[in-house]
Amino acid sequence: MATMKELKGDQPTWCPGCGHFSIMAGIQKSIVSLGYEPHEFAIVSGIGCSGKVSEYVRTNGFHSIHGRSLPVAQGVKMGNPKLKVIASGGDGDGYGIGQGHFVHASRRNIDITYIVMDNNIYGLTKGQLSPKSAHGFVTKHSKQGNKEFPVDPISTAIVNGATFVAQGFAGDIKQMNDILNRAIEHKGFSYVNVFSPCVTFNKINTYDFYKTNLTTVEKPLETREEAVAKIRQHESLVTGVLYEENRDDFQTKLGIEFDLQPNISGKMDHQLYQTFEKQFTC
């Protein structure tokens, strides 16, 4: 079983007080509390402040390009189904250029966990509007306020077929850890959006803002329609597991349990190619 010390990677360069510290620690605590070893996990990240997490948590890791953590993570899972795979990204990374991958991962239901560090702004590039920034939100780059309205990723995941949808807050570590534990152990696509205050560039969505405005959902809603209604009732400011469903994951649907690991160092000859083709042709 891993220890917190073994999972400690490079020294974080996030701003003091950044919510990403809590999320990183939450991932490490989940790996420890669930009894896994570091080599049993792979963390795939996108671009942005959140992208650093694959370097800061000492497991298998891959720092992919902008918005592409999900397709890379799905490829990792297909290549080695025995791995626990976490994809991570920020709201700009995941809900901007990565939005298409998010929808298809939700409907595909491949057995990975997607954690979005949601700070409602592009932090790494010093404070531009993100797809999650509120209408009217003012930054130094948008002094007249955001003219667009924010995306609703929680409802998007639910209506597109995700089988585990939850939302947490970096300032409520106990609840967030409980959610992450359940998400990692869920068989299928588990998605967790975590409100993670950017203390440098976002002076609206602060720790105090979330402590005042969040409502906790004590148990998953019975239907997708009820879950979406609850989200809209509270303008997305809800935390907890909002929807959960047991359904065969993508690889079970395909009927394959193919492990590429024994073959990755071998020669890709015609016979091996035919083996791959047979396994992956539906």
Side-chain angles (χ1 to χ4, degrees), residues 228-236 238:
V228 171
K230 178 66 71 174
I231 293 162
R232 292 181 176 173
Q233 177 188 351
H234 295 283
E235 299 181 341
S236 297
V238 291

Side-chain angles (χ1 to χ4, degrees), residues 158 221-232 242-243:
I158 291 172
L221 280 300
E222 294 290 330
T223 67
R224 295 181 185 273
E225 290 78 9
E226 290 176 18
V228 171
K230 178 66 71 174
I231 293 162
R232 292 181 176 173
L242 299 163
Y243 185 75

Side-chain angles (χ1 to χ4, degrees), residues 132-271:
K132 277 296 301 294
S133 298
H135 179 66
F137 188 69
V138 175
T139 75
K140 63 181 180 180
H141 301 283
S142 57
K143 295 183 178 179
Q144 296 182 358
N146 187 9
K147 304 301 182 188
E148 299 178 314
F149 287 82
V151 298
D152 178 357
I154 309 297
S155 297
T156 297
I158 291 172
V159 302
N160 282 286
T163 53
F164 183 99
V165 179
Q167 189 156 248
F169 168 42
D172 187 343
I173 295 172
K174 182 181 183 307
Q175 184 203 41
M176 182 184 66
N177 279 355
D178 290 342
I179 290 172
L180 293 181
N181 287 348
R182 289 177 62 177
I184 290 169
E185 293 298 78
H186 176 78
K187 183 68 170 173
F189 182 68
S190 54
Y191 158 61
V192 184
N193 187 75
V194 184
F195 294 122
S196 177
C198 174
V199 296
T200 302
F201 296 109
N202 188 338
K203 304 300 183 184
I204 302 297
N205 305 110
T206 63
Y207 287 95
D208 287 340
F209 170 85
Y210 287 119
K211 288 175 182 176
T212 302
N213 291 285
L214 287 177
T215 296
T216 298
V217 174
E218 299 296 341
K219 61 180 182 179
L221 280 300
E222 294 290 330
T223 67
R224 295 181 185 273
E225 290 78 9
E226 290 176 18
V228 171
K230 178 66 71 174
I231 293 162
R232 292 181 176 173
Q233 177 188 351
H234 295 283
E235 299 181 341
S236 297
L237 293 170
V238 291
T239 59
V241 179
L242 299 163
Y243 185 75
E244 187 171 14
E245 173 187 334
N246 293 320
R247 194 177 80 215
D248 285 346
D249 70 307
F250 185 59
Q251 285 180 266
T252 302
K253 286 284 189 183
L254 289 180
I256 60 173
E257 279 294 336
F258 196 73
D259 187 352
L260 297 179
Q261 283 295 325
N263 301 303
I264 57 176
S265 60
K267 182 180 179 181
M268 176 58 85
D269 56 20
H270 185 65
Q271 183 178 1

Side-chain angles (χ1 to χ4, degrees), residues 35-190:
Y36 290 103
E37 298 288 350
H39 70 271
E40 295 178 297
F41 267 79
I43 298 176
V44 180
S45 58
I47 295 298
C49 295
S50 60
K52 298 288 188 180
V53 73
S54 59
E55 302 169 26
Y56 298 162
V57 180
R58 190 68 72 194
T59 65
N60 299 295
F62 191 91
H63 194 166
S64 67
I65 59 176
H66 204 235
R68 301 296 193 271
S69 63
L70 278 173
V72 174
Q74 290 172 84
V76 170
K77 184 66 179 181
M78 290 295 289
N80 189 347
K82 296 174 184 175
L83 276 177
K84 284 286 183 181
V85 179
I86 292 176
S88 73
D91 49 303
D93 178 78
Y95 306 145
I97 196 170
Q99 180 76 326
H101 296 298
F102 176 48
V103 169
H104 292 296
S106 295
R107 72 184 180 89
R108 188 170 294 129
N109 197 36
I110 194 166
D111 186 22
I112 65 173
T113 297
Y114 184 36
I115 300 170
V116 178
M117 304 177 180
D118 179 6
N119 54 21
N120 296 271
I121 202 164
Y122 282 97
L124 185 66
T125 48
K126 303 189 184 305
Q128 294 93 341
L129 296 170
S130 88
K132 277 296 301 294
S133 298
H135 179 66
F137 188 69
V138 175
T139 75
K140 63 181 180 180
H141 301 283
S142 57
K143 295 183 178 179
Q144 296 182 358
N146 187 9
K147 304 301 182 188
E148 299 178 314
F149 287 82
V151 298
D152 178 357
I154 309 297
S155 297
T156 297
I158 291 172
V159 302
N160 282 286
T163 53
F164 183 99
V165 179
Q167 189 156 248
F169 168 42
D172 187 343
I173 295 172
K174 182 181 183 307
Q175 184 203 41
M176 182 184 66
N177 279 355
D178 290 342
I179 290 172
L180 293 181
N181 287 348
R182 289 177 62 177
I184 290 169
E185 293 298 78
H186 176 78
K187 183 68 170 173
F189 182 68
S190 54

Side-chain angles (χ1 to χ4, degrees), residues 2 7 26-38 41 57 59:
L7 292 169
I27 294 171
Q28 293 168 323
K29 288 178 181 176
S30 289
I31 294 173
V32 172
S33 64
L34 294 172
Y36 290 103
E37 298 288 350
F41 267 79
V57 180
T59 65

